[in-house]
Amino acid sequence: MAAAAFRTTTALYAILALLSLSLLVAVVRSDTAATPVTPSTACNETTDPNFCRTVLPSNGTSNLYTYGRFSVAKSLANANKFLGLVNRYLARGGLSPGAVAALQDCQLLSGLNIDFLSSAGATLNTSGNSTLLDPQAEDVQTLLSAILTNQQTCADGLQVAASGWSVRNGLAVPMVNSTKLYSVSLSLFTRAWVRSSSKANKSKSKPPRHGGGHGRGLFDATDDEMVRRMALEGVAAAVSVVGEVTVDPSGAGNYTTIGEAVAAAPSNLGGSTGYFVIRVPAGVYEENVVVPKNKKYAMMIGDGIGQSVVTGNRSVVDGWTTFNSATFAVLGTGFVAVNMTFRNTAGPAKHQAVALRSGADLSTFYQCSFEAYQDTLYTHSLRQFYRGCDIYGTVDYVFGNAAVVFQDCNLYSRLPMQGQSNTVTAQGRTDPNQNTGTTLQGCTFAAAPDLAANAAFPVTTYLGRPWKLYSRTVIMQSEVDALVDPTGWMPWDGDYALSTLFYAEYNNSGPGADTSRRVAWPGFHVLNGTADAANFTVGNMVLGDFWLPQTGVPFTSGLIN
């Protein structure tokens, strides 16, 4: 047999063996999940067994699939009830502006939770008593993870904006019970429907689910063929387009503001339909923009970083919630932004002031810049990807609880207020079953010009700190400048989350990459094997192989060679 034919045959046998093993694992797990057990037994491995036992029916036996469907249905009923409670408080009137703002955030987030639970429930009701395979399993786990994030955001906003008032107190118990219920639903889902090798806890070794190839992108400046096609044929050369408009404040385009163009986009486009393209020529657009949940698969293309600029100045000090301080906010699935700058000019003294917030599943940003100080980029929830972007900030300037990968991006720490330290990341994972976390791969950590030129007072810069109990951040194959403190990471408050977080570094370089003096926290790791690091790549962390190719944006699926 020829050598090439032998290798091909051997590879086929290997693939068939892996498929057989995967099917065997799925069958064994399916049999386990299909075995009738008591409610008490079903609750044993959830995040809160005692609370779980108050949720499930108290007598008889059922399998994990039945219990999982029951808990999701109960969560949906609870979400509707909670939204009704929020609406009643808003209808009372006489509330402070801060209270109204916090409740309006809760109203929006509760509505999203109803959508997510409805979608998750529909999938589970048609799945039968069998495990789900990716991307379907990841889709449902992503939705159930986001529901917890939305509830936590609501709670955080009420805590800050409504301290000491009756509405916060009236919502406290329903808020806690909702969070516990949603956590139980996520626990039962992962036990019943998710294959063991696909569990959300990527802190344990497992082989990558997908290959480590490179994505071919429409906007890849190194791909001469695609650049020529872009120039000659436009966006339609490589991605499907259902419509295209241009924004021009002078009136020469289709719309004079970005907000008007977004409003004109078709509602609820499907992923296979194509993108609605909004072109934003060079200029400064002073407006706060929201891409709502029904404006799906919108693609916004500017003329470049520093050329097409969307800018605002909302901040917490001026009465906005952190969530709603964003200059640009995205909820619509499949949003893509290319060659844009998103800016918040509130300044460091105004504390939390977001340039961009994304709670849009499968959202992508390529060659964009995000500029602010504290809380610059709010990667709020669901799955996101950033490639070739610049992010400027001071305190917690990349924060949130999405499953997100930053690839080939620049993290520029700016000059903060005197007495402040810089923290690049503040990841907000609150539940061990959430498939969320922040990966920074092939990125550069450096000082912005104002910090580099500063000699008036010393500024300590850290890679991140744990905003929530199960905070998860991985920095790998990146260039870390000397501005990063040798300890690497900063505590949030005493020993909070130091044993439950998962922070890791892998194969970084530069004067700030030495890990010999890093923190000695139980949750901090220096990864040595490629299998561990591969868990946090585009192909695994956000299952990018399934959805990024259609965006036209270049990406590396696995580890960078």
Side-chain angles (χ1 to χ4, degrees):
M1 181 183 292
F6 177 78
R7 285 194 297 269
T8 301
T9 304
T10 303
L12 286 172
Y13 282 139
I15 292 170
L16 289 171
L18 286 172
L19 285 172
S20 298
L21 179 60
S22 297
L23 289 171
L24 177 62
V25 170
V27 168
V28 170
R29 183 161 183 80
S30 177
D31 288 344
T32 302
T35 301
V37 295
T38 65
S40 182
T41 299
C43 289
N44 281 342
E45 295 181 31
T46 62
T47 48
D48 191 337
N50 289 332
F51 182 83
C52 175
R53 292 180 185 110
T54 70
V55 172
L56 299 183
S58 59
N59 50 24
T61 61
S62 293
N63 60 39
L64 288 178
Y65 298 110
T66 300
Y67 289 133
R69 292 188 185 95
F70 179 87
S71 68
V72 169
K74 195 158 187 176
S75 292
L76 177 57
N78 179 85
N80 278 288
K81 184 177 179 180
F82 187 81
L83 176 58
L85 183 60
V86 170
N87 288 338
R88 287 196 294 276
Y89 275 115
L90 277 170
R92 284 184 177 182
L95 300 174
S96 69
V100 171
L103 284 168
Q104 287 174 338
D105 288 351
C106 291
Q107 186 181 50
L108 171 66
L109 294 163
S110 297
L112 291 172
N113 280 355
I114 291 169
D115 293 343
F116 295 167
L117 283 162
S118 297
S119 179
T123 299
L124 299 187
N125 287 336
T126 58
S127 67
N129 289 352
S130 61
T131 55
L132 294 171
L133 299 179
D134 289 331
Q136 209 172 26
E138 192 87 355
D139 290 345
V140 176
Q141 192 174 10
T142 296
L143 293 175
L144 296 178
S145 296
I147 289 160
L148 280 165
T149 302
N150 289 343
Q151 198 71 2
Q152 185 65 53
T153 303
C154 171
D156 288 346
L158 289 172
Q159 185 67 29
V160 171
S163 180
W165 56 282
S166 61
V167 176
R168 186 201 66 184
N169 295 335
L171 287 173
V173 172
M175 185 85 66
V176 169
N177 288 340
S178 296
T179 300
K180 289 181 178 180
L181 177 56
Y182 301 155
S183 180
V184 165
S185 292
L186 179 57
S187 295
L188 291 172
F189 167 77
T190 56
R191 287 187 63 198
W193 277 278
V194 179
R195 291 179 295 124
S196 296
S197 62
S198 299
K199 282 298 187 74
N201 188 2
K202 295 181 175 72
S203 62
K204 299 189 182 298
S205 297
K206 66 179 191 297
R209 291 191 291 253
H210 306 292
H214 294 262
R216 180 178 177 85
L218 166 64
F219 304 104
D220 190 349
T222 64
D223 187 336
D224 293 337
E225 176 194 353
M226 297 306 292
V227 171
R228 286 195 299 271
R229 290 183 64 193
M230 176 68 178
L232 293 172
E233 304 173 45
V235 176
V239 298
S240 179
V241 175
V242 298
E244 184 173 330
V245 297
T246 300
V247 179
D248 191 323
S250 71
N254 302 98
Y255 299 97
T256 58
T257 69
I258 296 173
E260 290 171 344
V262 169
S267 294
N268 297 314
L269 284 176
S272 60
T273 305
Y275 290 95
F276 181 78
V277 175
I278 300 172
R279 292 195 172 273
V280 183
V284 177
Y285 298 81
E286 296 183 6
E287 52 179 311
N288 289 86
V289 179
V290 176
V291 180
K293 65 182 182 181
N294 65 326
K295 301 301 181 180
K296 300 177 181 179
Y297 294 93
M299 177 179 285
M300 190 167 292
I301 304 175
D303 281 346
I305 289 176
Q307 299 299 307
S308 301
V309 180
V310 189
T311 184
N313 61 2
R314 292 177 177 175
S315 70
V316 168
V317 170
D318 287 336
W320 299 91
T321 60
T322 300
F323 183 81
N324 213 22
S325 69
T327 298
F328 198 99
V330 189
L331 293 171
T333 298
F335 179 81
V336 179
V338 180
N339 294 338
M340 296 287 299
T341 290
F342 304 97
R343 182 180 294 161
N344 190 313
T345 61
K350 294 298 180 74
H351 298 288
Q352 296 94 333
V354 176
L356 182 136
R357 183 191 85 235
S358 179
D361 199 21
L362 315 180
S363 53
T364 308
F365 300 84
Y366 180 51
Q367 292 188 345
C368 291
S369 183
F370 308 90
E371 303 170 5
Y373 288 85
Q374 182 171 347
D375 291 4
T376 301
L377 178 55
Y378 197 172
T379 56
H380 181 262
S381 56
L382 302 167
R383 292 165 290 191
Q384 307 178 27
F385 178 65
Y386 296 75
R387 169 85 175 205
C389 294
D390 297 335
I391 306 104
Y392 294 81
T394 55
V395 178
D396 305 339
Y397 63 92
V398 176
F399 75 112
N401 194 26
V404 56
V405 177
F406 293 85
Q407 203 168 75
D408 297 342
C409 293
N410 299 308
L411 289 300
Y412 292 120
S413 295
R414 306 178 83 169
L415 185 65
M417 292 191 295
Q418 191 159 1
Q420 284 185 329
S421 297
N422 284 335
T423 43
V424 179
T425 65
Q427 206 282 328
R429 185 166 169 255
T430 62
D431 190 287
N433 289 303
Q434 287 179 308
N435 61 351
T436 56
T438 298
T439 296
L440 298 114
Q441 181 188 25
C443 294
T444 299
F445 295 78
D450 60 345
L451 180 60
N454 169 64
F457 60 89
V459 176
T460 308
T461 297
Y462 299 93
L463 296 171
R465 59 177 181 158
W467 182 28
K468 301 296 181 184
L469 190 61
Y470 294 95
S471 183
R472 180 160 62 179
T473 302
V474 177
I475 296 171
M476 59 186 187
Q477 301 181 298
S478 293
E479 178 76 13
V480 184
D481 206 349
L483 85 158
V484 173
D485 189 81
T487 59
W489 306 83
M490 178 183 180
W492 185 272
D493 183 15
D495 63 356
Y496 171 76
L498 302 188
S499 61
T500 51
L501 61 78
F502 183 87
Y503 284 172
E505 298 179 51
Y506 171 75
N507 200 22
N508 297 312
S509 58
D514 181 7
T515 58
S516 63
R517 296 169 58 190
R518 288 293 194 253
V519 293
W521 303 343
F524 173 72
H525 307 270
V526 177
L527 303 181
N528 295 315
T530 58
D532 284 326
N535 292 324
F536 302 96
T537 58
V538 169
N540 281 319
M541 192 69 194
V542 295
L543 262 64
D545 296 329
F546 285 101
W547 58 276
L548 278 172
Q550 76 182 67
T551 68
V553 171
F555 67 96
T556 299
S557 177
L559 295 173
I560 298 171
N561 296 326

